[in-house]
C-alpha cells in the first residue's frame, strides 16, 4: 500500500460547519467569528470555503436540537422524504443543507465537509468518518497528528454504507466530524476552542498543500472502528438507570477495556464488570447527550490501516479525466438511446406479428 501512488482530484470546495448541535459551543463560536470577519463564501489559497451555522434555531436556544437531532437526519431516506407543515424543523433544515452542500452522493457535492462538535467525554481530538479507505480524510488525520503533538488525535470509523450514513459530514465527497472534549455542553472552554481553531487551521493548510501539488507519503495509521454501544443497567419496570460509570473507567477513553474490568458502579455500590470476551477500546464514556439515546459508552476495535502516497492531479491529468468522464457519459447516452430504439422496434415487431396472426386465424 505504502509503495503505490494515488492521484486524486483537487479539494477545491470545502464546507466548515458549526452549531449542528446548538449547545456545543466551540464550533458555534468558531463559525460565528469566521462569519463576522469574512463572507460566508471566501476564496482562500485557491479553496472556495463555505462557512455554515448548521442549526441556527438550536444555537439561539443553546440546545442540542429543537425537535429532533439534526445530526441523525442525513440518511438518503430522510433527505428524500416528503416535507409538510408538521415536519420537524431539523428534517427541513437537513434538506436545506443537502441542497446547499450536496446533493449527497452527487458530483455537485462539496469536495470536503468538516463538521465541528464537542463531547463531554475525555476524548481529545477525534476525526469521525464513515470510511476507512478515504485517503483524503486519513491523510488529513495523519497531518493533524504530526502538527498537534501536545494533544491525542485519533480517527474513529463508523462502518456504515453512504445511504445509511446519518450525519452532516456524509453530504460531501469527503467528510468527517472533528470532535473535541472534554467540554460541558452550553459552555465554552478557551483551551478546547483553541484546539479546535488549531485543528481547523491545520486542515486548511493540508488542503492548500495538497492542491498545490505536494505529495504526501504513504504509511500506516491507527483507526478505531466502532463495534457496539453499551447501555446503562436499567430497572426492568421503570427503565431508569441503576448504575453510573465506574470511577476506574471514567475519563479513560481509548484505554483498553479487558474482560472483567470494572465498567459500572450501581447506586447501591456494587461493581459490574465487562463481560465481553474481546478487549476493546471505550470512547464517548458517559457522554451527556447520549443518556437519551441509551448509550453509556461505545466500544471500538483498533487496527493499523495502510494508506498510499497521494498527490493532486495536474492540469493535464484533470483535462484527461474530465474528457474520459464526458466520453463515458456520451457512451451511456448512446447506449440508452440504442436500448430505447431496440425496445421500440420490438414493440413494432410485436404489433406487426399480431396483425399477421390475425390474418391467418
Amino acid at each position: 500500500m505504502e509503495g503505490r501512488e494515488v492521484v486524486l482530484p483537487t479539494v477545491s470546495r470545502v464546507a466548515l460547519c458549526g452549531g449542528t448541535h446548538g449547545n456545543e459551543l466551540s464550533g458555534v463560536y468558531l463559525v460565528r467569528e469566521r462569519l463576522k470577519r469574512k463572507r460566508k463564501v471566501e476564496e482562500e489559497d485557491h479553496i472556495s470555503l463555505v462557512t455554515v451555522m448548521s442549526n441556527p434555531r438550536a444555537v439561539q436556544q443553546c440546545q442540542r436540537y429543537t425537535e429532533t437531532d439534526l445530526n441523525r437526519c442525513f440518511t438518503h431516506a430522510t433527505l428524500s422524504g416528503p416535507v409538510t407543515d408538521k415536519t420537524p424543523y431539523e428534517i427541513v433544515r437537513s434538506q436545506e443543507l443537502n441542497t446547499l452542500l450536496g446533493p449527497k452522493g452527487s458530483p455537485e457535492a462539496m469536495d470536503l465537509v468538516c463538521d465541528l462538535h464537542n463531547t463531554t467525554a475525555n476524548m481529545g481530538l477525534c476525526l469521525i468518518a464513515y470510511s476507512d479507505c478515504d485517503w483524503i480524510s486519513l491523510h488529513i488525520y495523519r497531518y493533524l497528528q504530526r502538527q498537534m503533538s501536545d494533544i491525542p488525535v485519533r480517527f474513529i470509523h463508523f462502518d456504515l454504507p453512504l445511504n445509511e450514513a446519518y450525519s452532516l459530514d456524509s453530504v460531501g465527497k469527503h467528510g468527517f466530524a472533528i470532535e473535541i472534549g472534554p467540554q460541558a455542553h452550553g459552555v465554552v472552554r478557551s483551551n478546547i476552542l483553541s484546539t479546535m481553531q488549531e485543528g481547523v487551521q491545520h486542515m486548511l493548510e493540508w488542503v492548500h498543500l495538497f492542491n498545490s501539488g505536494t505529495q504526501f507519503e504513504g504509511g500506516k495509521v491507527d483507526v478505531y472502528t466502532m463495534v457496539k454501544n453499551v447501555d446503562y443497567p436499567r430497572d426492568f419496570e421503570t427503565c431508569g438507570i441503576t448504575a453510573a460509570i465506574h470511577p476506574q473507567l471514567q475519563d479513560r477513553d481509548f484505554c483498553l477495556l479487558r474482560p472483567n474490568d470494572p465498567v459500572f458502579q450501581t447506586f447501591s455500590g456494587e461493581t459490574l464488570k465487562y463481560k465481553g470476551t474481546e478487549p476493546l477500546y471505550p470512547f464517548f464514556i458517559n457522554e451527556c447527550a447520549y443518556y437519551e439515546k441509551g448509550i453509556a459508552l461505545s466500544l471500538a476495535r483498533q487496527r493499523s490501516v495502510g494508506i498510499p502516497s497521494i498527490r493532486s492531479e495536474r492540469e493535464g491529468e484533470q483535462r484527461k479525466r474530465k474528457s474520459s468522464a464526458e466520453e463515458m457519459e456520451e457512451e451511456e447516452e448512446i447506449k440508452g438511446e440504442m436500448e430505447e430504439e431496440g425496445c421500440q422496434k420490438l414493440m413494432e415487431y410485436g404489433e406487426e406479428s399480431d396483425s399477421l396472426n390475425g390474418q391467418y386465424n
Side-chain angles (χ1 to χ4, degrees), residues 142-197:
R142 187 162 73 157
Y143 186 76
L144 263 60
Q145 275 189 322
R146 291 176 172 177
Q147 299 298 319
M148 303 176 70
S149 56
D150 57 333
I151 184 172
V153 178
R154 300 182 181 94
F155 191 98
I156 299 171
H157 167 224
F158 286 175
D159 190 11
L160 289 173
L162 183 64
N163 65 319
E164 294 176 27
Y166 49 74
S167 54
L168 173 55
D169 50 274
S170 69
V171 170
K173 295 187 183 78
H174 310 278
F176 49 79
I178 290 182
E179 185 93 44
I180 304 182
Q183 176 174 284
H185 299 319
V187 304
V188 59
R189 289 177 52 174
S190 60
N191 62 321
I192 299 294
L193 177 58
S194 296
T195 298
M196 184 174 280
Q197 290 169 330

Side-chain angles (χ1 to χ4, degrees), residues 85-220:
D85 292 343
K86 295 181 180 178
T87 301
Y89 165 71
E90 275 84 4
I91 291 178
V92 175
R93 182 60 176 157
S94 72
Q95 295 189 6
E96 292 172 354
L97 290 167
N98 188 50
T99 301
L100 176 67
L101 306 177
K104 180 174 178 172
S106 74
E108 293 77 34
M110 284 281 170
D111 295 319
L112 175 63
V113 175
C114 174
D115 193 23
L116 304 174
H117 289 267
N118 289 119
T119 174
T120 60
N122 187 30
M123 287 171 51
L125 188 155
C126 295
L127 273 64
I128 304 178
Y130 293 100
S131 173
D132 60 352
C133 56
D134 181 336
W135 309 137
I136 296 289
S137 296
L138 287 168
H139 270 280
I140 291 173
Y141 159 52
R142 187 162 73 157
Y143 186 76
L144 263 60
Q145 275 189 322
R146 291 176 172 177
Q147 299 298 319
M148 303 176 70
S149 56
D150 57 333
I151 184 172
V153 178
R154 300 182 181 94
F155 191 98
I156 299 171
H157 167 224
F158 286 175
D159 190 11
L160 289 173
L162 183 64
N163 65 319
E164 294 176 27
Y166 49 74
S167 54
L168 173 55
D169 50 274
S170 69
V171 170
K173 295 187 183 78
H174 310 278
F176 49 79
I178 290 182
E179 185 93 44
I180 304 182
Q183 176 174 284
H185 299 319
V187 304
V188 59
R189 289 177 52 174
S190 60
N191 62 321
I192 299 294
L193 177 58
S194 296
T195 298
M196 184 174 280
Q197 290 169 330
E198 186 182 353
V200 167
Q201 197 53 48
H202 287 313
M203 176 196 72
L204 295 174
E205 280 170 15
W206 185 92
V207 172
H208 172 63
L209 289 169
F210 176 73
N211 289 348
S212 301
T214 300
Q215 178 170 323
F216 292 91
E217 295 302 321
K220 289 186 178 294

Side-chain angles (χ1 to χ4, degrees), residues 149-316:
S149 56
D150 57 333
I151 184 172
V153 178
R154 300 182 181 94
F155 191 98
I156 299 171
H157 167 224
F158 286 175
D159 190 11
L160 289 173
L162 183 64
N163 65 319
E164 294 176 27
Y166 49 74
S167 54
L168 173 55
D169 50 274
S170 69
V171 170
K173 295 187 183 78
H174 310 278
F176 49 79
I178 290 182
E179 185 93 44
I180 304 182
Q183 176 174 284
H185 299 319
V187 304
V188 59
R189 289 177 52 174
S190 60
N191 62 321
I192 299 294
L193 177 58
S194 296
T195 298
M196 184 174 280
Q197 290 169 330
E198 186 182 353
V200 167
Q201 197 53 48
H202 287 313
M203 176 196 72
L204 295 174
E205 280 170 15
W206 185 92
V207 172
H208 172 63
L209 289 169
F210 176 73
N211 289 348
S212 301
T214 300
Q215 178 170 323
F216 292 91
E217 295 302 321
K220 289 186 178 294
V221 293
D222 288 333
V223 169
Y224 294 85
T225 298
M226 208 274 276
V227 175
K228 62 180 178 179
N229 295 317
V230 178
D231 194 5
Y232 293 92
R234 293 183 180 272
D235 183 280
F236 287 115
E237 293 182 0
T238 67
C239 293
I241 67 171
T242 58
I245 295 293
H246 196 279
Q248 291 180 31
L249 180 60
Q250 183 63 52
D251 298 326
R252 290 178 57 80
D253 297 76
F254 299 104
C255 294
L256 191 62
L257 183 67
R258 296 178 173 85
N260 292 317
D261 281 352
V263 178
F264 297 107
Q265 188 173 76
T266 67
F267 297 148
S268 60
E270 181 188 355
T271 294
L272 304 180
K273 296 180 179 180
Y274 173 49
K275 298 300 183 185
T277 56
E278 178 188 4
L280 293 170
Y281 290 86
F283 64 101
F284 279 128
I285 297 174
N286 206 13
E287 162 59 45
C288 168
Y290 289 175
Y291 275 73
E292 68 176 42
K293 299 181 189 300
I295 299 172
L297 65 148
S298 300
L299 293 173
R301 189 176 290 120
Q302 184 194 49
R303 56 202 181 82
S304 182
V305 173
I307 58 175
S309 299
I310 66 169
R311 66 169 174 84
S312 60
E313 60 187 4
R314 300 184 180 101
E315 201 170 320

Side-chain angles (χ1 to χ4, degrees), residues 22-23 55-66 89-90:
N23 59 357
N55 194 341
R57 285 192 191 177
V59 169
Q60 188 177 22
Q61 297 174 26
C62 197
Q63 294 180 351
R64 182 176 174 87
Y65 54 81
T66 62
Y89 165 71
E90 275 84 4

